[in-house]
Amino acid sequence: ARAALDRGYFRVDLNVDCPSARVAGRREFGAALMKKPDLTASILRSMREASGGATVSVKTRIGIDDFDSLEFTTDFLGKLRPVCKSFVIHARKCVLEGLSPAQNRIIPPLNYPRVYALCETFPDCDFVINGGIPGLAAAHKILHGTDGAEDAHLHAVPCSPCGSRNGSCTAPPRGVPPPNLVGAMLGRAARDNPSMFWDVDRYFYGETRNPCRNR
């Protein structure tokens, strides 16, 4: 944390998401920390003390192995809440034994409604949603909501209305999204097509034009 801040970063993020055997295996950090909330909280406390007031956040998942429920994730975040109130949530669980990191990005189903539920459970925390967001249009719907035409109660995992082969539910919030859902993280979509961001200032942030013309 100190090294990052000394180099000008204003935010430090603890990775409690990576399922790689080199990370979450014998070294027991990354996603493995979801099974050790007290240790995770202790790490965050030390990071916050070293941060000099910069934001300390956590990137994590909605579950791990057989611990795949809203109750588990709520309990986990509840133990971190005294020392961290900024979370980036990868909206699928990870499986440490039997799936590779690449498979962990596509096989466990996405569960966006669980992220929305976490936002409602922790109204004093900020959340960024991550996982399977294909582009700016999808991110815009997630963060700005829909007109409420769809029946939200039909969306659950496995989700028939979303039509995903693995049962993923990627429905945007019905109506107005939770006010503390403050962002969407695009990973593979940004890697595969970085030029999608040429219009982000106007389309996403409401600017009258895109000030940077060389993107």
Side-chain angles (χ1 to χ4, degrees), residues 90 92 101-103 105-106 130 132-136 185-197:
H90 188 158
R92 54 163 58 92
Q103 290 171 324
R105 292 193 292 267
I106 57 175
N130 168 244
I133 303 172
L136 293 183
M185 177 182 285
L186 281 67
R188 283 171 290 157
R191 177 200 65 190
D192 295 342
N193 182 22
S195 63
M196 74 168 68
F197 293 102

Side-chain angles (χ1 to χ4, degrees), residues 92-111:
R92 54 163 58 92
K93 77 168 187 175
C94 67
V95 179
L96 297 186
E97 298 290 340
L99 294 182
S100 69
Q103 290 171 324
N104 264 302
R105 292 193 292 267
I106 57 175
I107 292 178
L110 291 158
N111 191 337

Side-chain angles (χ1 to χ4, degrees), residues 19-81:
S20 167
R22 290 177 294 178
V23 173
R26 62 185 178 87
R27 291 184 174 88
E28 292 194 334
F29 59 103
L33 286 172
M34 289 194 76
K35 295 181 179 181
K36 298 181 177 182
D38 293 334
L39 175 59
T40 306
S42 177
I43 294 170
L44 286 167
R45 188 174 295 107
S46 296
M47 290 174 65
R48 191 174 70 170
E49 291 171 355
S51 70
T55 298
V56 175
S57 58
V58 171
K59 179 145 191 300
T60 189
R61 298 207 179 207
I62 60 169
I64 180 171
D65 294 333
D66 294 329
F67 301 99
D68 182 23
S69 67
L70 177 59
E71 291 74 20
F72 170 77
T73 319
T74 298
D75 183 64
F76 177 65
L77 296 190
K79 291 180 177 179
L80 306 186
R81 185 184 187 183

Side-chain angles (χ1 to χ4, degrees), residues 127-141:
F127 289 87
V128 173
I129 189 169
N130 168 244
I133 303 172
L136 293 183
H140 194 278
K141 286 183 179 180

